[in-house]
Amino acid sequence: MASSEELHKRRQAAVARGVGSVVDSYVDHASGGTVTDVEGREWIDFAAGIAVTNVGNSAPRVVEAVRAQVERFTHTCFMVAPYESYVAVCEQLNTLTPGSFEKRSALFNSGAEAVENAVKIARHATGRPAVVVFDHAYHGRTNLTMALTAKNMPYKHRFGPFAGEVYRVPMSYPLRDGGLSGAKAAARAIETVEKQVGAENVAALLIEPIQGEGGFVVPAPGFLPALREWATAAGVVFVADEIQTGFCRTGDWFACDHEGVEPDLVTLAKGIAGGLPLAAVTGRAELMDAVHVGGLGGTYGGSPIACAAALASIETMHELDLAAAARRIESVLVPRLRAIAERSGGRVAEVRGRGAMLAMELVQPGTSTPDPVGTAAVSAACHRAGLLTLTCGTYGNVLRLLPPLVISDDELARGADILAAAFD
Ligand code: PLZ
């Protein structure tokens, strides 16, 4: 087998430079909580392919379901000749997502595609043009979703012009907004919408219940419920982007469950199918069904292979109670992260997150000035020592931890040891 160095050379000659990678070794195989490169070096996985392999890599049920499906048929296109597994995934999503009202779902391939379709559905159903998004938001890399995403570098730089009718309002970010209460932060956002856009022009308010790429920002309690209440009164479709937070990641099936918020539409992807590409929009039947027949779709959306994987992943989440596993990961890791923060000499401004979506925000000692250089250095030290970690944040100063939910206690402890050593 080719070495990582050889593969890197071939990559440079064959793969576009614009596609980056966090580590420069190449993967040979991966399992529940580890990833092994072609040199046989093992990393403990605190990335899960960016919150995708919640059930672990090559989870047994997923492997079995995919193998069986590939042998029966690989593709007919649901828009040409439909099949049961697409329907079964939609039934599951309609049941699992927050809200006991009647729902419908539609399946797509990527998170960005799900977000685009949620906006299409909300505009069609309301007849209104505007979409409200938040500071630090991340919703994807297609043209509309670049407009919805907040951060310029690397996502938007020189890729414009962007889609119109997108309006950005302030987020609740307790560490950086002076600790505004959820109610006050919501009032600030709502006032911005009412003064600058006009509620009657707004089709959708789109929000990640815990922000992902933007820095694992957990809004103050009450922020999401207050926005939900306003959207109901204003006839605005409340869309929760649960692409990163979904499927047991935060210790509930969905992050909205934590505060009892029932979105009108939910966008789903990542953890849905154990690593196969699948995405969905799930929501109120009257909104979803407002769109004319043939108005939604795509060649591969709800591929039978991805649907088989999704059904097996969801079964695994039930069987292993992965929501409880995420809460256990939080209870093991948070004390370790707090201990690191205490010994950091003021370099860690905050340990935050929920379930197995945890982060540390790094600053210049004793200030609130972001420290992206220190964050990159800690992350690189982790990679060298055998731990896969990711960074995020508008300021690039957030170290984030997203282990697969099936990770063992021993792997968790070894990961935390590596992280602590990386800080020292
Ligand atoms: N909405 C909340 O987290 C994807 C992107 C990584 P796609 N996040 C990881 C990168 O640098 O491209 C994401 C998300 C939220 C939407 C998306 C987009 O999902 O499947 O990457 O299109």
Side-chain angles (χ1 to χ4, degrees), residues 34 94 147 252 296 401:
T34 60
N94 296 348
D252 266 309
L296 303 174
L401 312 178

Side-chain angles (χ1 to χ4, degrees), residues 50 109-113 115 138-141 155 208 210 212-213 241-245 267 269-270 400:
I50 326 189
N109 301 292
S110 68
E113 209 188 338
V115 172
Y138 182 91
H139 299 292
R141 293 175 181 265
Y155 308 121
E208 299 155 87
I210 296 177
E213 306 306 302
D241 182 343
E242 292 253 16
I243 287 167
Q244 191 152 160
T245 48
T267 57
K270 290 193 186 276
R400 59 168 154 171

Side-chain angles (χ1 to χ4, degrees), residues 356-371:
M357 184 171 181
L358 299 170
M360 290 191 281
E361 178 158 350
L362 274 68
V363 293
Q364 305 291 349
T367 72
S368 62
T369 309
D371 181 12

